[in-house]
């Protein structure tokens, strides 16, 4: 069975400790490879390599850095099928989704930042004939990048690509639950000839490897995507060390459906925004609020469509809902369904583990689940579940639904369905979230700032904001007389 290796100083390296963790294929519930159980010593090696590489990489001309990134993008595109298969097995997601969304978006990250850096400019401020100020943007140093399991390569590369383009060197840690595509990326970086130490990938547990990266004094910047609790822990370590910090955290996103929406488009998209990737996208709408006059029709149609979604093996092209990522995660999601029942909710469909049989009978499958009858302030409607489970609720007025939408500690994304332009803009202005999608969901323009408010995070990724984050502004003031 394959033993994944760390990528340090340009090479794939064996662990000194020879300790490994099981890597489980969630579609079968079986170990299929091993992940390095790295520790502080491995992190130290990676940080030393990144530190040594930084002076040369930070002054490597932008167009040269750009060429490396574009080469890596091309290699990801070349290996699309291989990477998609690896991601599907590692994560349990439908292969089709990995092929059409995750891996193309990972390549797009390298493309976007590889070309974007060529157009990134700093400011000058003239004080008429007294002085000129210009802002020098310099790469921060060794960037620590830590990512989650739900969109493994896509989110991993969204951090790494802008960091490298901006001139930082990187020590990155993918989730220990889904390490495979990060491992394959390290092979592609070697093939692309990326200079030694510029990117280092250390695999292992969050409490060991992640913690060691965050706490290290030679890592002045942390870009983290993951759970809110982990983010709070990271902030508690990084803040007293005055590190630059970007935290992309959990969500409990509202999907607000007004009676005047384009119904068919709304229904089709709401099925995706509820159940795509088994509901394990931080941007999925998990609270669906529907204007009372269309609630009964919506409920009937939504449940009917959800029941039609095929829960099946990730590699089967007909599968719409694959396996959730792990056994503990499946148990957590199913416990929330039990909680919803205790809170007085009615399960309209799903609510159980699905057994798809054969070689997949030990896999972690959950039926798409719709729950109604819970008020907005119940725990089921306040806490992140992160699985194929949504609640639906009828609302009377715009004021009421706004209050419900804004009632959680989270503020990541939201969706609004209406044909009334004025109402759409009013809702966009009043919803407390980093993203408001109007009559669409998951449309991505990489130039826009991305991130949440409240407990969904601080800082912004995406666009040129990412270059601002990975560089330090220095004002130079020149007196003219
Ligand atoms: P997680 O917080 O458990 O883990 C995320 C990463 O942090 C992993 O690599 C993990 O090993 C590492 N980690 C864990 N403990 C650590 C520590 N003490 N120090 C440093 N690193 C540590 O999250 P997860 O379960 O992998 O991912 C699911 C969560 O991520 C959900 O809450 C989801 O909403 C969130 N998420 C947010 C976004 C966003 O853009 N806001 C995107 C995707 C996922």
């Amino acid at each position: 069975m394959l033993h994944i290796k760390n990528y340090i100083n340009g090479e794939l390296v064996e662990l000194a400790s020879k300790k490994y963790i099981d890597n489980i294929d969630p579609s079968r519930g079986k170990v299929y490879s091993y992940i390095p159980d790295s520790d502080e010593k491995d992190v130290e090696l990676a940080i030393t390599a990144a530190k040594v590489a930084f002076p040369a990489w930070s002054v490597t001309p932008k167009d040269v850095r750009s060429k490396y990134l574009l080469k890596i993008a091309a290699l990801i595109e070349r290996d699309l099928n291989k990477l998609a298969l690896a991601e599907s097995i590692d994560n349990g997601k439908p292969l089709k989704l990995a092929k059409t969304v995750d891996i193309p978006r990972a390549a797009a990250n390298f493309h976007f930042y590889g070309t974007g850096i060529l157009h990134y400019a700093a400011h000058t401020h003239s004080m008429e004939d007294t002085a000129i100020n210009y802002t020098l943007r310099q790469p921060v140093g060794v960037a620590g990048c830590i990512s989650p399991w739900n969109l493994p390569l896509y989110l991993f590369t969204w951090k790494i690509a802008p960091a490298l383009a901006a001139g930082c060197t990187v020590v990155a840690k993918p989730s220990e639950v889904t390490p495979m595509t990060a491992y394959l990326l390290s092979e592609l970086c070697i093939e692309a000839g990326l200079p030694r130490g510029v990117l280092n990938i250390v695999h292992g547990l969050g409490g060991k490897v992640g913690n060691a990266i965050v706490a290290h004094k030679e890592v002045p910047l942390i870009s983290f995507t993951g759970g809110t609790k982990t983010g709070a822990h990271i902030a508690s370590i990084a803040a007293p060390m005055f590190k630059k910090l970007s935290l992309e955290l959990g969500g409990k996103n509202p999907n607000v459906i007004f009676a005047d929406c384009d119904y068919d488009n709304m229904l089709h998209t709401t099925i995706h925004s509820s159940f795509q990737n088994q509901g394990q996208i931080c941007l999925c709408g998990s609270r669906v609020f529907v204007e009372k006059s269309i609630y009964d029709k919506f409920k009937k149609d939504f449940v009917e469509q959800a029941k039609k979604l095929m829960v099946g093996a990730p590699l089967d092209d007909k599968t719409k809902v694959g396996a959730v990522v792990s056994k503990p995660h499946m148990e957590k999601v199913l416990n929330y369904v039990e909680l919803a029942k205790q809170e007085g909710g009615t399960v309209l469909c799903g609510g159980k583990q699905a057994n798809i049989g054969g070689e997949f009978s030990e896999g972690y499958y959950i039926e798409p689940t719709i729950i109604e009858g819970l008020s907005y302030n119940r725990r089921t409607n306040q806490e992140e579940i992160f699985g194929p489970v949504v609640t639906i609720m009828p609302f009377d007025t715009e004021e009421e639904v706004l209050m419900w939408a804004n009632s959680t500690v989270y503020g990541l994304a939201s969706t609004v369905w209406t044909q009334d332009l004025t109402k759409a803009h009013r809702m966009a202005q009043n919803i407390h979230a980093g993203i408001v999608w109007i009559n669409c969901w998951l449309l991505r323009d990489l130039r826009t700032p991305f991130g949440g408010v409240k407990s969904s995070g601080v800082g912004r990724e995406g666009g040129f904001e990412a270059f601002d984050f990975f560089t330090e502004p220095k004002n130079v003031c020149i007196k003219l007389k």
Side-chain angles (χ1 to χ4, degrees):
M1 241 185 267
L2 175 74
H3 284 68
I4 286 173
K5 292 192 176 104
N6 287 336
Y7 170 52
I8 298 177
N9 202 24
E11 286 170 12
L12 297 173
V13 293
E14 293 282 357
L15 273 188
S17 73
K18 298 266 189 295
K19 281 196 202 151
Y20 288 86
I21 312 161
D22 291 344
N23 189 22
I24 295 169
D25 164 0
S27 75
R28 294 179 173 80
K30 298 245 172 0
V31 177
Y32 85 104
S33 59
Y34 298 105
I35 313 159
D37 183 7
S38 311
D39 59 24
E40 290 79 0
K41 290 193 207 83
D42 304 292
V43 172
E44 192 64 47
L45 288 175
I47 292 174
T48 302
K51 211 183 148 206
V52 170
F54 179 70
W57 183 250
S58 61
V59 298
T60 297
K62 287 184 180 56
D63 57 328
V64 177
R65 293 203 300 259
S66 168
K67 281 191 183 121
Y68 283 115
L69 267 71
L70 296 182
K71 177 93 205 248
I72 296 168
L75 293 174
I76 293 175
E77 277 161 0
R78 183 198 68 189
D79 286 359
L80 185 138
N81 287 338
K82 179 180 171 187
L83 288 161
L85 182 63
E87 181 138 319
S88 175
I89 294 170
D90 226 21
N91 177 278
K93 69 177 63 201
L95 175 62
K96 213 169 169 183
L97 187 66
K99 261 190 200 169
T100 53
V101 177
D102 293 61
I103 307 304
R105 286 188 174 198
N109 289 336
F110 278 101
H111 257 295
F112 178 82
Y113 289 109
T115 52
I117 194 63
L118 301 174
H119 308 279
Y120 180 57
H123 299 286
T124 63
H125 298 92
S126 161
M127 297 168 73
E128 288 72 45
D129 60 353
T130 310
I132 303 170
N133 297 274
Y134 65 88
T135 307
L136 207 52
R137 282 264 167 201
Q138 294 172 306
V140 175
V142 178
C145 297
I146 302 174
S147 63
W149 48 256
N150 61 325
L151 305 163
L153 192 63
Y154 165 11
L155 293 178
F156 194 58
T157 54
W158 202 15
K159 300 177 176 308
I160 290 170
L164 296 179
C168 289
T169 53
V170 173
V171 175
K173 191 198 101 58
S175 170
E176 62 272 33
V177 187
T178 53
M180 193 57 84
T181 45
Y183 172 60
L184 296 176
L185 177 72
S186 51
E187 291 185 339
L188 296 183
C189 291
I190 293 170
E191 189 178 340
L194 194 67
R196 293 165 84 88
V198 165
L199 171 64
N200 304 273
I201 300 176
V202 187
H203 295 271
L205 301 173
K208 267 201 234 176
V209 174
N211 217 68
I213 294 171
V214 173
H216 203 288
K217 63 181 187 337
E218 301 289 355
V219 180
L221 174 152
I222 301 294
S223 170
F224 171 79
T225 301
T228 294
K229 217 169 141 195
T230 317
H233 172 74
I234 287 175
S236 75
I237 299 173
M241 298 176 82
F242 308 108
K243 297 193 179 209
K244 273 189 112 170
L245 199 55
S246 162
L247 300 172
E248 298 294 349
L249 309 175
K252 187 74 180 175
N253 308 310
N255 179 0
V256 181
I257 299 168
F258 287 98
D260 64 358
C261 66
D262 168 354
Y263 188 85
D264 291 344
N265 184 15
M266 174 280 296
L267 185 66
H268 176 78
T269 309
T270 296
I271 284 287
H272 286 296
S273 66
S274 302
F275 301 117
Q276 187 158 307
N277 205 38
Q278 299 69 249
Q280 302 167 135
I281 301 180
C282 54
L283 307 166
C284 278
S286 51
R287 296 177 295 149
V288 184
F289 303 124
V290 187
E291 197 164 0
K292 209 170 246 169
S293 59
I294 60 163
Y295 182 79
D296 287 340
K297 175 174 168 50
F298 172 81
K299 174 173 142 180
K300 181 174 157 292
D301 293 343
F302 189 47
V303 169
E304 203 177 285
Q305 296 285 320
K307 282 183 177 165
K308 278 191 197 152
L309 294 173
M310 182 175 135
V311 182
L315 305 193
D316 185 335
D317 256 5
K318 295 186 292 305
T319 292
K320 295 283 189 247
V321 178
V324 299
V325 78
S326 67
K327 191 161 188 239
H329 190 61
M330 177 178 74
E331 285 164 356
K332 177 194 145 184
V333 174
L334 292 173
N335 281 338
Y336 267 106
V337 177
E338 287 313 305
L339 172 74
K341 288 186 204 157
Q342 285 160 24
E343 289 187 319
T346 305
V347 177
L348 300 174
C349 66
K352 298 188 298 296
Q353 182 176 1
N355 187 341
I356 66 163
E359 60 180 307
F360 303 101
S361 57
E362 303 291 313
Y364 316 131
Y365 299 88
I366 300 177
E367 298 167 345
T369 302
I370 301 172
I371 299 167
E372 75 165 352
L374 291 172
S375 89
Y376 75 94
N377 56 1
R378 292 295 188 166
R379 274 184 61 200
T380 310
N381 277 326
Q382 293 287 314
E383 297 173 17
E384 185 183 49
I385 299 174
F386 215 53
V389 177
V390 295
T391 59
I392 59 172
M393 265 159 284
F395 68 86
D396 278 312
T397 64
E398 199 179 311
E399 291 68 34
E400 177 180 57
V401 77
L402 257 176
M403 191 272 279
W404 294 355
N406 291 335
S407 66
T408 74
V409 296
Y410 298 107
L412 185 53
S414 56
T415 308
V416 176
W417 291 95
T418 175
Q419 298 286 76
D420 177 339
L421 196 61
T422 312
K423 186 160 60 183
H425 286 300
R426 202 166 49 236
M427 288 294 290
Q429 174 145 320
N430 292 324
I431 288 182
H432 298 162
I435 303 164
V436 182
W437 274 296
I438 295 173
N439 300 330
C440 59
W441 177 71
L442 212 63
L443 271 184
R444 188 173 84 142
D445 181 333
L446 277 169
R447 294 166 300 177
T448 59
F450 175 91
V453 298
K454 302 196 283 183
S455 297
S456 290
V458 290
R460 283 291 176 275
E461 297 192 347
F464 282 3
E465 268 86 352
F467 294 140
D468 289 347
F469 177 62
F470 288 107
T471 57
E472 208 79 82
K474 181 190 287 173
N475 186 59
V476 181
C477 179
I478 310 158
K479 198 156 184 301
L480 293 178
K481 305 189 237 186

